[in-house]
């Protein structure tokens, strides 16, 4: 899990989708579904191809979710774009990824220079100085190649790819992800390693954005089938043979992949397929994170969106109503988005008075939180509401309320 991967407000029956790349960015970040640490074959050295926070943070996909890896620290952030940039280097502090050894002083000096460059790149991204960040990363990759430090090469390529992805440079991001994956595989990392699957997921998302649908479908299918097979193998292992964290990470990565494919399928108007993916992702998130977890609420909301688009308004209302109740209890930072979506579903059901009330409540909360994007979407919903109020074909007989004439 923010990434906005956003929970969609539903002012009209037609779907309003953000570009897949933005949605996906929000999605990975916003959720603790994105709480997946990338591990290289040598488990002593963690290669974070995508800084993974427990993104509950900008709840991946919940209105303020930012895409990246998700972290509990980020769960309070509300700006998706900011998170999209911050998330890139979130797990960057684990500078031990290079693996310390008794190498000669010159090699150690080069390694230190690479680390400093990566730290500067992180700072530049936090300050929205993306060109400067790109420059530092290019210097780092040059030194990594000169010193033949494969782990540094993989890590830096991954950061460069993520930066290009966020900037919308999809062709460049594709090349960089492939380069990082090539170094991983050539170093003996298995194809079903979570790091490889994460990069494959990003490539599938890029292909989806580029409308290369055959490649996108193949990529999503590869990720899901690989993770499903891996989970089945893990079930056969003794409990003490694999850390619980690793088992959980694999399941969460499967949930994230299903969620990403669901958003892609929704954008393609393959709504029944999207519904199935959302339901599976939601169940995984419930099992691993709990029903009140921010990402669980985001998935409930997204499932409600797909149900509403199919005309299953009552079922959709049940899902989003539950999300609103849980969000209120848990103090969900994007409660106004959940309320706005609920108002949209009520609008589609013709419950105009209740829809208007919730829209106004959501608008006040969004304005108080300084969430300009949500304010704009809620205002669109209010405009659609006004149209229905004034349209004799859609206006219920009870709208506006009848005023009884006083008896004489």
């Amino acid at each position: 899990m923010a990434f906005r991967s956003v929970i969609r407000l539903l002012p009209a029956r037609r779907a309003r989708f953000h570009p897949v790349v933005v949605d996906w960015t929000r999605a990975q970040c916003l959720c603790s579904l994105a709480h997946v640490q990338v591990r290289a074959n040598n488990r002593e050295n963690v290669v974070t191809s995508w800084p993974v926070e427990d993104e509950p943070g900008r709840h991946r996909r919940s209105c303020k979710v930012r895409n990246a890896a998700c972290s509990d620290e980020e769960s309070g952030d509300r700006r998706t774009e900011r998170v999209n940039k911050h998330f890139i280097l979130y797990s960057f502090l684990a500078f031990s990824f290079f693996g310390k050894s008794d190498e000669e002083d010159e090699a150690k000096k080069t390694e230190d220079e690479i680390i400093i460059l990566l730290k500067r790149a992180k700072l530049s991204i936090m300050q929205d100085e993306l060109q400067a960040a790109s420059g530092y990363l290019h210097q780092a990759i040059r030194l990594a190649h000169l010193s033949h430090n494969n782990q540094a090469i993989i890590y830096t390529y991954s950061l460069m790819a993520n930066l290009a992805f966020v900037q919308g440079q999809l062709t460049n991001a594709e090349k960089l992800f492939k380069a990082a994956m090539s170094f991983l595989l050539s170093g003996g990392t298995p194809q079903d390693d979570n790091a490889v699957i994460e990069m494959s997921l990003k490539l599938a998302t890029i292909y989806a954005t580029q409308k290369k649908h055959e490649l996108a479908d193949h990529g999503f299918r590869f990720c899901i089938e690989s993770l499903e097979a891996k989970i089945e193998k893990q079930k056969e292992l003794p409990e003490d043979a694999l850390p619980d964290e690793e088992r959980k990470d694999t399941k969460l990565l499967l949930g994230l992949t299903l969620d990403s494919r669901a958003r892609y399928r929704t954008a393609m108007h393959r709504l029944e397929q999207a519904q199935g993916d959302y339901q599976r992702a939601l169940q995984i998130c419930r099992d691993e994170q709990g029903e009140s977890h921010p990402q669980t609420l985001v998935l409930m909301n997204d499932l409600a969106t797909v149900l509403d688009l199919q005309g299953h308004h009552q079922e959709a209302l049940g899902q989003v109503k539950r999300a609103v109740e849980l969000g209120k209890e848990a103090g969900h930072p994007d409660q106004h988005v959940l309320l706005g979506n609920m108002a949209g579903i009520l609008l589609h059901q013709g419950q105009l008075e209740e829809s208007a009330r919730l829209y106004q409540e959501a608008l006040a909360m969004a304005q108080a939180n300084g969430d300009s994007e949500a304010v704009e979407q809620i205002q669109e919903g209010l405009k659609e509401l006004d149209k229905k109020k004034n349209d004799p074909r859609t206006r219920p007989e009870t709208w506006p309320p009848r005023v009884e004439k006083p008896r004489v």
Side-chain angles (χ1 to χ4, degrees):
M1 2 139 350
F3 328 130
R4 274 188 196 332
S5 91
V6 277
I7 294 183
R8 303 186 223 342
L9 297 171
L10 301 174
R13 187 176 297 270
R14 64 181 182 280
R16 289 188 171 92
F17 303 108
H18 289 285
V20 176
V21 63
V22 175
D23 236 6
W24 184 78
T25 301
R26 159 197 60 94
Q28 289 203 190
C29 168
L30 290 197
C31 167
S32 91
L33 282 184
H35 178 58
V36 178
Q37 275 193 316
V38 180
R39 290 177 172 75
N41 194 31
N42 179 353
R43 296 297 172 182
E44 294 179 0
N45 296 314
V46 179
V47 178
T48 50
S49 69
W50 186 263
V52 207
E53 28 176 310
D54 180 342
E55 196 179 313
R58 284 278 127 224
H59 308 298
R60 177 215 79 40
R61 221 136 174 283
S62 118
C63 77
K64 286 196 172 182
V65 177
R66 333 310 178 194
N67 184 344
C70 305
S71 92
D72 289 331
E73 295 180 7
E74 290 295 316
S75 58
D77 286 339
R78 296 204 162 81
R79 301 298 349 141
T80 298
E81 295 180 359
R82 180 176 183 77
V83 174
N84 282 344
K85 294 166 182 170
H86 288 194
F87 82 86
I88 296 180
L89 294 171
Y90 175 81
S91 54
F92 178 82
L93 295 179
F95 292 118
S96 60
F97 63 84
F98 291 127
K100 296 182 179 179
S101 63
D102 297 331
E103 298 179 4
E104 48 189 84
D105 293 342
E106 188 61 32
K108 183 64 172 66
K109 180 180 177 182
T110 301
E111 180 178 303
D112 291 341
E113 289 181 21
I114 295 173
I115 292 175
I116 291 173
L117 287 168
L118 293 175
K119 292 172 75 172
R120 289 175 177 172
K122 174 188 177 183
L123 180 60
S124 296
I125 291 173
M126 294 178 67
Q127 296 175 341
D128 293 334
E129 298 173 355
L130 302 188
Q131 289 301 320
S134 179
Y136 289 131
L137 290 174
H138 278 84
Q139 293 180 56
I141 197 63
R142 182 180 64 83
L143 289 176
H145 277 294
L146 289 174
S147 60
H148 304 288
N149 190 327
N150 281 355
Q151 287 183 312
I153 291 172
I154 294 168
Y155 187 83
T156 308
Y157 268 143
S158 299
L159 296 181
M160 293 173 70
N162 288 322
L163 179 58
F165 187 89
V166 170
Q167 292 177 297
Q169 301 171 5
L170 301 186
T171 300
N172 190 31
E174 176 189 357
K175 293 177 181 177
L176 291 166
F177 278 131
K178 287 181 176 179
M181 192 183 301
S182 176
F183 276 93
L184 269 176
L185 296 174
S186 64
T189 302
Q191 282 193 340
D192 66 350
D193 187 272
N194 286 1
V196 175
I197 294 176
E198 285 188 20
M199 292 185 190
S200 299
L201 175 57
K202 292 165 196 173
L203 287 171
T205 303
I206 289 173
Y207 295 140
T209 306
Q210 296 173 329
K211 301 187 183 304
K212 298 178 180 179
H213 301 303
E214 185 175 352
L215 289 173
D217 285 329
H218 177 76
F220 286 124
R221 186 168 59 252
F222 164 77
C223 294
I224 291 172
E225 291 178 354
S226 297
L227 288 166
E228 289 174 337
K230 186 174 181 178
I231 290 172
E232 289 303 313
K233 290 179 183 178
Q234 290 178 345
K235 290 180 180 178
E236 300 173 359
L237 298 175
E239 290 188 8
D240 58 352
L242 197 65
D244 290 340
E245 181 184 0
E246 187 166 341
R247 295 177 190 270
K248 181 174 182 177
D249 284 349
T250 302
K251 291 180 181 178
L252 290 176
L253 182 55
L254 174 59
L256 173 61
T257 305
L258 287 165
D259 171 61
S260 297
R261 188 172 72 172
R263 282 180 284 109
Y264 166 61
R265 285 176 162 179
T266 302
M268 294 295 296
H269 303 287
R270 291 150 59 176
L271 300 181
E272 289 187 11
Q273 293 178 335
Q275 178 183 337
D277 284 344
Y278 273 134
Q279 289 171 334
R280 290 186 63 192
L282 175 58
Q283 189 59 54
I284 290 172
C285 199
R286 275 186 175 135
D287 293 343
E288 300 299 326
Q289 307 287 13
E291 189 175 35
S292 297
H293 190 278
Q295 187 54 27
T296 303
L297 303 186
V298 168
L299 288 167
M300 291 174 68
N301 179 82
D302 290 344
L303 176 58
T305 297
V306 170
L307 290 169
D308 186 70
L309 291 172
Q310 294 177 83
H312 306 318
H313 304 308
Q314 197 59 40
E315 190 176 354
L317 181 60
Q319 284 285 342
V320 75
K321 186 176 181 180
R322 180 59 177 161
V324 168
E325 292 171 352
L326 291 171
K328 185 176 181 180
E329 294 174 5
H332 195 294
D334 297 325
Q335 184 71 1
H336 54 283
V337 177
L338 296 173
L339 285 171
N341 287 336
M342 184 173 174
I345 292 173
L346 288 168
L347 173 61
H348 297 165
Q349 287 187 318
Q351 299 185 41
L352 303 188
E353 292 184 68
E354 182 64 9
S355 175
R357 184 185 71 79
L358 290 180
Y359 267 136
Q360 292 296 340
E361 183 179 349
L363 180 61
M365 293 175 65
Q367 290 172 335
N369 291 341
D371 190 344
S372 58
E373 183 177 349
V375 168
E376 182 180 349
Q377 294 183 24
I378 293 169
Q379 288 174 339
E380 288 181 11
L382 286 169
K383 290 178 182 178
E384 188 69 24
L385 179 64
D386 288 338
K387 289 181 182 178
K388 287 205 171 187
K389 288 179 183 178
N390 298 320
D391 188 344
R393 296 171 299 177
T394 60
R395 181 176 55 197
E397 293 182 1
T398 58
W399 188 277
R402 296 178 181 176
V403 178
E404 296 287 342
K405 293 183 178 180
R407 296 179 181 179
V408 180

